[in-house]
Each structure stands twice: as structure tokens, then as C-alpha cells.
Amino acid sequence: GSASGSATPTAPVDLGSESEVPKGGAKLYRDHNVVVSRDASGALKAFSTVCTHAGCPINKLQGTTLICPCHGSRFDATTGRVVQSPATEPLAELPVRASGGKIVAGPEA
């Protein structure tokens, strides 16, 4: 059995190289249940990829659309907003920053 902890990082998580997230694009980090997107100006945003409908971890990213495997909810990875029901609540936004060429998500150390 596994301890059922919080779905979001409670400590900073090093997600790897900043260059992996393209401008205007997004990258899904399945291991951490986090998606990171970068807007046209280069600003990073991160969201928890645990679906707000039934708590399923989202495992698919098409372009900048997150698709939940359980009931087909879709979210915009750049805003966290729902684009297709059954989910109605947006994804939880996480703090994210670039540090030394790495992307770090979660609370400040």
C-alpha cells in the first residue's frame, strides 16, 4: 500500500531543464503530476495535473490540452481552465520558477 499524501508538491521539485518547455507550449511531468507551460513572453506557469473531477492523474497532453483518462475531462495546460466537462473546477495552480536553467515547481524552499 502507498500512503495517500497530498497531490501537489509540498516541497520544491526539480523538474529538469528549462529548455524542455517551449515558448507557447507545455510539458507534462507525469511522475510529479505537474504540467508546466510557457507563454509567448517566456513566463512559466505550473498546474497540478490531478483532475478536479474525480482525482485521477492526467496522463495525456495534446498540444496544450490535458486529457484525463478516467472520464475525458479536458483542461487548458496554459491556464488550468476546464475546456471539456465533466470537470467543472480549474486545476490548482502551483508556484513555479526557473533557477539555474532548471524548472522548480512547488513552494519556495
Side-chain angles (χ1 to χ4, degrees), residues 12-13 18 23 25 28-29 36 43-44 61 69 71 75 87 93 95-96 98 100 102 105-107:
V13 180
E18 194 187 348
K23 272 192 185 182
L28 175 59
Y29 298 89
V36 178
L44 295 169
L61 178 67
H71 306 98
F75 298 88
E93 187 165 355
V96 66
K102 303 266 189 202

Side-chain angles (χ1 to χ4, degrees), residues 40-87:
S41 71
L44 295 169
K45 271 202 155 177
F47 295 92
S48 164
T49 54
V50 175
C51 183
T52 56
H53 170 242
C56 295
I58 296 170
N59 63 4
K60 194 170 178 186
L61 178 67
Q62 267 183 355
T64 56
T65 302
L66 291 159
I67 303 164
C68 181
C70 293
H71 306 98
S73 298
R74 293 181 182 221
F75 298 88
D76 183 329
T78 63
T79 63
R81 285 203 276 266
V82 178
V83 290
Q84 187 172 305
S85 57

Side-chain angles (χ1 to χ4, degrees), residues 88-105:
T88 56
E89 293 291 311
L91 296 172
E93 187 165 355
L94 301 171
V96 66
R97 63 202 176 277
S99 173
K102 303 266 189 202
I103 292 174
V104 182

